[in-house]
Amino acid sequence: TFIGFHLLPNEQKSVDAIDPISGRVIKKNIMTMVLYEGLKLQRVPFNINFDDLPRGEKIERICNVLGIQWPLDPDETYELTTDNILKMLAIHMRFRCGIPVIIMGETGCGKTRLIKFLCELRRSGVATENMKLVKVHGGTTSEMIYTKVREAEAIASVNQQDYGFDSVLFFDEANTTEAISSIKEVLCDKTVKGESLTPNC
């Protein structure tokens, strides 16, 4: 499924990506007509307005991308807009590549809830914790950060071995502490006090 844009054949015998709301061309010649026709033969759904789909179908589609076999809606009050789904997919792709994710936005805009929903979705009803939330504030020290990282490593190790899914360490309001260099060490250097984090956790 293509989310966030529609495909429209053009006069140059290729296909453009267009904004489904305004109809303006986002990118010209995004794929060849041969590829477009091949995907149509394989019944790849084009030009579906994701926001109009029933909630169950939205959950099923995102679970297909995330590799979740048994889709389960973890929070029926969470609004599954195209924007939220695109953010979840972008985060998922970065996770798969081992790239740290930084989510920025005003307080109360839904950053934590987005990650909680994604984690609960990936958990598929398994009774375990797969998100370690660290509420960072002005008094948070490097030692507190390192302790939380080691706790998260233990959780991640169990989740990977017993259930086969990843875990998330979420630093909420990370920019409010003087120990930001410790968070940088964990995220970028993948070390704690110079010692490597446990691989594949």
Side-chain angles (χ1 to χ4, degrees):
T1 301
F2 295 85
I3 298 176
F5 63 92
H6 286 183
L7 298 174
L8 185 69
N10 61 29
E11 303 83 37
Q12 289 87 32
K13 298 201 183 220
S14 67
V15 180
D16 296 337
I18 62 163
D19 183 310
I21 297 167
S22 69
R24 76 174 173 82
V25 175
I26 299 169
K27 184 161 176 83
K28 292 185 100 25
N29 305 323
I30 196 164
M31 73 172 64
T32 65
M33 191 58 93
V34 173
L35 176 58
Y36 179 75
E37 292 297 334
L39 291 171
K40 273 176 57 178
L41 286 172
Q42 295 177 40
R43 298 185 180 163
V44 172
F46 296 127
N47 304 344
I48 293 173
N49 187 342
F50 191 82
D51 288 328
D52 291 341
L53 293 174
R55 184 174 181 86
E57 200 169 331
K58 289 178 181 181
I59 294 282
E60 194 174 308
R61 286 180 188 230
I62 191 166
C63 285
N64 284 340
V65 175
L66 298 176
I68 298 167
Q69 285 184 314
W70 311 106
L72 185 66
D73 191 344
D75 180 0
E76 293 178 8
T77 65
Y78 188 75
E79 192 63 39
L80 289 174
T81 62
T82 298
D83 185 55
N84 286 341
I85 295 296
L86 290 173
K87 288 174 184 171
M88 282 187 242
L89 294 175
I91 291 165
H92 172 71
M93 293 309 293
R94 284 168 176 79
F95 285 168
R96 283 185 57 189
C97 296
I99 300 170
V101 177
I102 296 175
I103 304 171
M104 294 172 44
E106 296 296 321
T107 301
C109 73
K111 301 177 297 288
T112 306
R113 192 154 184 222
L114 176 86
I115 295 297
K116 277 185 179 177
F117 185 87
L118 179 59
C119 286
E120 289 174 8
L121 193 64
R122 291 170 71 172
R123 203 163 36 104
S124 271
V126 175
T128 187
E129 178 187 18
N130 69 333
M131 176 180 166
K132 184 72 172 173
L133 176 63
V134 181
K135 296 253 185 204
V136 179
H137 50 81
T140 303
T141 65
S142 291
E143 205 52 51
M144 293 163 86
I145 300 240
Y146 294 143
T147 300
K148 294 294 183 184
V149 169
R150 291 304 184 198
E151 289 172 10
E153 275 189 306
I155 291 167
S157 180
V158 169
N159 286 340
Q160 192 59 247
Q161 289 173 3
D162 295 354
Y163 308 111
F165 55 73
D166 296 326
S167 302
V168 172
L169 174 61
F170 186 82
F171 293 106
D172 197 11
E173 304 294 337
N175 61 322
T176 61
T177 179
E178 290 184 11
I180 193 81
S181 61
S182 302
I183 295 173
K184 174 262 177 199
E185 179 189 1
V186 171
L187 293 179
C188 300
D189 304 337
K190 297 185 180 175
T191 61
V192 170
K193 297 181 187 175
E195 293 180 21
S196 294
L197 295 173
T198 308
N200 302 320
C201 272

